[in-house]
């Protein structure tokens, strides 16, 4: 730390994810004792007054109503982009063009063309360009990945993924932006990329898909709903691994469920984000009298849990995942290897979503990589 | 009971399901205080010596090594058919031809033609012809069905079904009959009909499917495996209800999992056969401070649990489901309405499985009722 | 079975436990293939008409309104006593005097003197005299006992027991027999003996106790409640093992909870009767990355589950425990070793309850075996 | 914030709790948008070099090897005391004498005399003097408290508390400081105060106790163990409320279990810290067909969860509880009402522990408030 370098941080957007980034930038130094220290320099929010207030709250030096001020600020080294999805591409491209590192919330963009442009811009930039896929940072997920990598459950042969919440479940709610085609496909955009990011870590890339989308409610407030709150898909990964993915943003009672089941030749691993501090594993064992699914509580044995709490079973929270992600961003900027979803992987994940949507439209299996 | 009529019972087969039928025939009278009383008359098992031993154990008067003796016994009124699947059709046809009622284990037959013949024979027989789909008899399932019927979770819009066990999970096991094409498709035959029977009660018939099957192990003992231990499908029911079904008989750690999730416009219901005495329900409620999934333990409020135990939360077992099914058989024979999977419904359920297999082969959506 | 002997069964009482015994006597032969076969001979119920009806339902040959007819029936070899507790002593003494084996529901009697007389009568009788402690017959409990016996959790050092139901929870219910002193202490009588019977199998006899009893409601329907719906105790077993016991028959939401936690020098075992087909075990293991409580589903590896179902994870029910107990009764009558709570052990268990009540009255620790 | 005042923070100690305080002081402003902003001024650690390193990591301006420098620093307004327990009294007294607010980790001191001196010093100081009982800050606990306060479970009549971890479970571990009498009673000091602090919020103060302590291992490394790793107690609260408390720091498999059961005349509430983002509630309801324990996932409906994450079911972590506590400290310093365990309540909680120890020594019930 004596020689600790300072990293100037810019933040665009101060909603759910904006605050989450702000908290992470505040906490990453004290939590990890990082050599490189974030300095919260410049914050943008559409309303300049609100921007000033949030800057004070979050600890940023400067504020602005124009995000271009952040991108253009010479004291800013990295830009957190948490504005609404339609703005991601323009902001990320501008930031990369200005030589900034970029930490952008998912999805990359609202069109494949924009996403592709972002990917291209990142490639030649020499800058870190990463996406906010914080669920992969969970020590539970990391341990599952490690255990799978070490062969604890043998060769993976089947996966099942679910993501469910109920914020679109109320049939009496009025028509909202998220019900219109401009917002995207529906649950596929909102949710599918999350379990897919876990899948990518745990079992590799998807090769073929066929999906089906449906609507619990045909209309809201007299207007036809254009998105699909529910989607399901069959998946094929390399090596004959099969799988399913189901997402539902109208699932009463579900609040943050991301259920993962990975089946292998020697065991099974199960996880649910609603109980993010544990996972379950069963392996083939002895005579079966004491065999069963083990509930593993995350603890210091599972990196980097110990950076937060030295005692096991004391629970990390959702925001802590973002702190871990911030630490990975710092590592990447520092030139080290980092555990992140970069623009290339993020683009690949979103391609799966687009392929799903297409397979639904065309009612047929779609192979990834086929011209879309 | 003073005027209680006697029902002569014949049993073919004494394995897992044969014993289960025998126990049910023994228990149904004392449990339900039925007016009609089963009399255990004739038991058949391939080995006549074993047949005699089992008859003594199970309480049957007569035994035989030839199942035709059971079918031809004038004192037998109803025949329990629990022999291996390839024999079901011949036995059921003979029993119906002899004027017996038939209680046959699923699946009906190993070919659609045979199943169709059984269906036709049953239609004109004036006899009860039912299949052993005992999971639908669970008071938990009955309550879920009732609650859905009363609108507790609103209009159903999505379902997810899973059935997993691990008896085919061991990659080092030798090639077995169940690995050969003669045994059928694989997990689709063994498992899929069970969750589909629940689905049929809870949400109605399936209209369209696309399935994918896969193998965890390509070969066993040097021989190519011909069946698929894993299968997944997308489902469409009437009214725009979508769904998924996944079955896996190589799922380490799973012993009797039949997981059902039913999503509706006002709530969600969840069930898992491994904890068959409970289900979970969430409905939209108040301000959300005390909302969540409720774990309902089955009790006397859920018919016919109280016939077994007058105190709630004391648990029924798997065999008790067969006792309930036997009671339904008695009711049907007595001319009353019964809650059973008859040959017509059973045929329809198996048609879904065949459609799934076809959709896998042809890699396309298949509509039920299309010429197969 | 060719040489199978017949055992004449008499049953007194046809309520909850009476039916449970009847079902068990019906099922034990077919389930276990026993050499000795029960023959249901004579049933007594206070109302002779009801007795006849129940005899027909349960399959007994003869019925009576006078229990002495059962005890005096020369064709009766064993008498199931399920009448209300105040009658147990007189019935058991008469049955033993008549040379019958006795299977009596717990508790033995409503006074220690009566219980002691039963114990003395049994000692010299040469007959089997056993109590209905069916929870110890659960294959899950048997496996826990075996695992503890084999040292899987090391030396036991602490135990916690709970039993909770809610049938006395309603504050608006009228005064009932169970609220009067004539019914006994309250939850101590009703519940405590059950977890104590498990404790006796899993960790041995209790040596010292101090208990506290309390009432959720001081009066019902204007009458002062004389029993205690809630009781808690500290326990000391031999070898410095400490423990707690808590019972509550006014615990809203609990239906059949019997929670057991056994802590040892190398592991912990946990069980809850509301999920009677599973238990949890944690042992010290490796590096902790995959350590945790394992949920073991009962299956054929756990005797005698396989007598009911050959597939694991398919669940036994409460009534199945009584079938296992009946099989132990048969084994005992046959002169073999049996896993039962005989009158001697039952008396010792009830002594613990009396010591608890005394420790409550005198507000001090009480040592078992001290003159009461 | 425009008029935001600055609060100078001093921190003594940088272990588990020291880091936890540091993270909380960093996060409380951005999380809550507080008007009063902490400024991390001065950090003390025994080793001055380590102090410097930690100051850099945690973001403190100054560091020292002598804690008196922190207490004497005119720019420090509040002192976080996280040094080992034997130092708490001296530090807290010095800080209060210097006019600082004090946020001290529990327990107050290692002797009742010292604790009493701290209490007296706080009384006349006009300063905030609070203890680190962060578990009461959990939104789940707050909601349970609110629900109980609103009568959702009726009048509380019984409670059960457990706290278990396994860090002292290994019988092969060498003798450690925590095994010696100088460290206190054992599990009573380490653990009991935590569930007691929850009890105090949920059901009020304890009036009478009788406890029993035991040792899983008599010696370690040839030295006699002087503490008790296990303790259990019977409790009496006002109004006839009874209860139990059990603590075990040698409980294999338990990592951070704090189990709370509160029984009332209309319902039951259950919580376990190992799943700190949920609680369970059962209330008397309707016809029982859909009654059961509800698992409530914490969300924005439960203050102040929404300050961390706007979406429900996304989980807070252990460290977040400290951030909430820090916010309460700020509120108290600002003169508002705060939800904290102040020295007076903390002293009362610790008196219960001392009474338990005494009741164990004297093997009798002890009334709180009796001269000790």
């Amino acid at each position: 730390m004596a020689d600790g370098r300072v990293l100037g941080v810019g933040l665009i957007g101060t909603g759910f994810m904006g605050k989450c980034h702000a908290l992470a930038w505040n906490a990453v130094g004290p939590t990890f004792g990082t050599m490189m220290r974030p300095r919260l320099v410049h914050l943008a929010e559409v309303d300049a007054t609100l921007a000033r207030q949030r800057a004070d709250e979050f600890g940023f030096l400067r504020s602005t109503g124009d995000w271009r001020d952040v991108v253009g600020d010479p004291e800013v080294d990295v830009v957190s982009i948490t504005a609404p999805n339609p703005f991601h591409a323009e902001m990320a491209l501008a930031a990369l063009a200005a030589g900034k590192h970029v930490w952008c919330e998912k999805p990359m963009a609202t069109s494949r063309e924009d996403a592709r442009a972002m990917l291209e811009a990142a490639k030649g930039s020499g800058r870190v360009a990463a996406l906010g896929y914080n669920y992969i940072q969970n020590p539970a997920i990391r341990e599952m990945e490690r255990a799978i990598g070490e062969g604890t459950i043998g060769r993976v042969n089947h996966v099942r993924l679910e993501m469910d919440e109920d914020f679109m479940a109320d049939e009496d709610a009025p028509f909202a932006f998220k019900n219109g085609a401009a917002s995207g496909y529906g649950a596929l955009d909102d949710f599918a990329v999350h379990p897919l990011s876990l899948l990518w870590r745990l079992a590799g890339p998807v090769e073929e898909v066929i999906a089906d989308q449906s609507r619990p409610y045909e209309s809201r407030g007299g207007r036809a709903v254009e998105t699909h709150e529910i989607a399901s898909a069959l998946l094929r990964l390399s090596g004959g691994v099969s799988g399913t993915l189901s997402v539902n943003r109208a699932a009463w009672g579900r609040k943050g469920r991301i259920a993962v089941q990975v089946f292998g030749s020697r065991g099974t691993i199960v996880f649910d984000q609603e109980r993010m501090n544990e996972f379950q594993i069963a392996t083939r064992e002895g005579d079966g009298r004491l065999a069963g699914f083990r509930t593993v509580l995350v603890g210091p044995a599972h990196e980097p849990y110990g950076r937060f709490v030295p005692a096991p079973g004391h629970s990390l929270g959702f925001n802590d995942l973002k702190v871990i992600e911030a630490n990975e961003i710092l590592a990447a900027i520092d030139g080290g290897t980092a555990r992140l979803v970069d623009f290339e992987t993020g683009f690949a994940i979103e391609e799966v979503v687009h392929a799903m949507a297409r397979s639904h439209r065309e009612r047929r299996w779609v192979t990834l990589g086929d011209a879309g």
Side-chain angles (χ1 to χ4, degrees), chain A residues 201-258:
Chain A
R201 297 297 311 190
L202 299 174
V206 173
E207 299 191 344
E208 288 177 282
V209 296
I210 183 162
D212 185 33
Q213 299 184 87
S214 64
R215 295 185 177 96
Y217 317 117
E218 287 297 324
S219 67
R220 288 186 180 277
R223 247 181 96 179
V225 171
E226 294 158 354
T227 51
H228 294 93
E229 267 52 84
I230 298 172
S232 305
L234 306 179
L235 314 175
R236 277 285 177 155
L237 286 71
S238 71
V241 178
S242 62
T244 60
L245 177 139
S246 296
V247 291
N248 185 354
R249 54 186 194 182
W252 280 110
R254 299 303 188 198
K255 302 303 179 186
R257 177 171 162 92
I258 306 179

Side-chain angles (χ1 to χ4, degrees), chain A residues 9-14 18-19 21-22 42-44 58 60 70 79-80 82:
Chain A
V9 172
L11 171 65
I12 306 177
T14 65
K19 183 167 183 176
H21 276 241
H42 214 145
L43 175 154
F58 298 166
F60 280 80
V70 170
V79 181
S80 278
T82 74

Side-chain angles (χ1 to χ4, degrees), chain A residues 53-371:
Chain A
Q53 185 188 328
R54 292 284 175 259
D56 287 341
E57 287 172 9
F58 298 166
F60 280 80
L61 295 175
R62 293 190 280 279
S63 67
T64 174
D66 180 356
W67 63 266
R68 294 189 179 276
D69 295 341
V70 170
V71 169
D73 189 326
E75 287 193 299
V76 165
D77 300 304
V78 57
V79 181
S80 278
I81 300 175
T82 74
N85 303 346
F87 300 99
H88 288 182
E90 188 180 9
M91 291 169 176
L93 291 170
L96 287 167
K100 313 299 189 190
H101 303 289
V102 171
W103 184 15
C104 182
E105 276 308 303
K106 63 91 212 165
M108 295 175 78
T110 43
S111 78
R112 289 175 72 198
E113 293 63 40
D114 281 352
R116 204 185 305 267
M118 291 168 73
L119 173 59
E120 293 309 318
K123 268 183 188 164
S125 69
R127 296 299 163 200
V128 171
L131 295 161
Y133 278 95
N134 34 292
Y135 293 116
I136 67 165
Q137 304 297 345
N138 188 335
I141 297 294
R142 286 169 170 238
E143 176 62 26
M144 289 164 63
E145 182 181 339
R146 189 200 59 76
I148 292 170
E150 291 182 1
T152 308
I153 62 164
R155 199 178 61 83
V156 171
N157 52 52
H158 187 57
V159 295
R160 294 189 198 142
L161 308 168
E162 296 168 274
M163 182 163 178
D164 302 311
E165 299 191 14
D166 65 3
F167 66 86
M168 304 284 280
D170 188 351
E171 60 184 330
D172 301 327
F175 189 94
F177 173 73
K178 287 213 167 194
N179 301 119
S183 72
Y185 307 122
L188 275 187
D189 307 83
D190 253 15
F191 286 178
V193 292
H194 287 302
L196 286 172
S197 72
L198 301 180
L199 180 64
W200 164 70
R201 297 297 311 190
L202 299 174
V206 173
E207 299 191 344
E208 288 177 282
V209 296
I210 183 162
D212 185 33
Q213 299 184 87
S214 64
R215 295 185 177 96
Y217 317 117
E218 287 297 324
S219 67
R220 288 186 180 277
R223 247 181 96 179
V225 171
E226 294 158 354
T227 51
H228 294 93
E229 267 52 84
I230 298 172
S232 305
L234 306 179
L235 314 175
R236 277 285 177 155
L237 286 71
S238 71
V241 178
S242 62
T244 60
L245 177 139
S246 296
V247 291
N248 185 354
R249 54 186 194 182
W252 280 110
R254 299 303 188 198
K255 302 303 179 186
R257 177 171 162 92
I258 306 179
V260 177
Q261 300 179 65
V262 183
F263 300 90
S265 58
R266 294 188 165 250
T268 302
I269 293 189
V270 175
F271 170 81
D272 181 351
Q273 173 68 23
E274 283 187 357
R275 287 176 171 166
M276 60 172 271
N277 286 282
E278 62 192 59
F279 62 92
Q280 295 189 298
I281 182 167
T283 53
R284 69 182 217 175
E285 292 175 273
D287 62 2
R289 292 193 312 193
L290 297 177
F293 273 92
R294 212 174 293 193
T295 300
V296 182
L297 294 177
V298 178
H302 313 103
E303 281 298 325
Y305 175 100
R307 289 290 183 173
F308 294 84
V309 193
H314 278 55
S315 298
L316 301 192
F318 176 86
N319 286 342
D320 294 328
L321 304 184
K322 210 71 186 177
V323 179
I324 301 175
E325 196 176 59
N327 188 53
E328 297 292 335
I329 295 280
L330 293 185
I333 290 172
D334 212 23
T337 57
R339 196 174 187 282
L340 288 166
V341 174
D342 60 19
F343 278 17
E344 190 163 358
T345 305
F347 186 79
I349 290 172
E350 292 181 25
E351 283 294 278
V352 178
V353 168
H354 295 303
M356 285 177 180
R358 189 177 166 197
S359 73
H360 166 75
R361 281 194 310 273
E362 304 180 1
R363 286 176 61 79
R364 62 169 185 87
W365 281 91
V366 169
T367 301
L368 268 296
D370 281 7

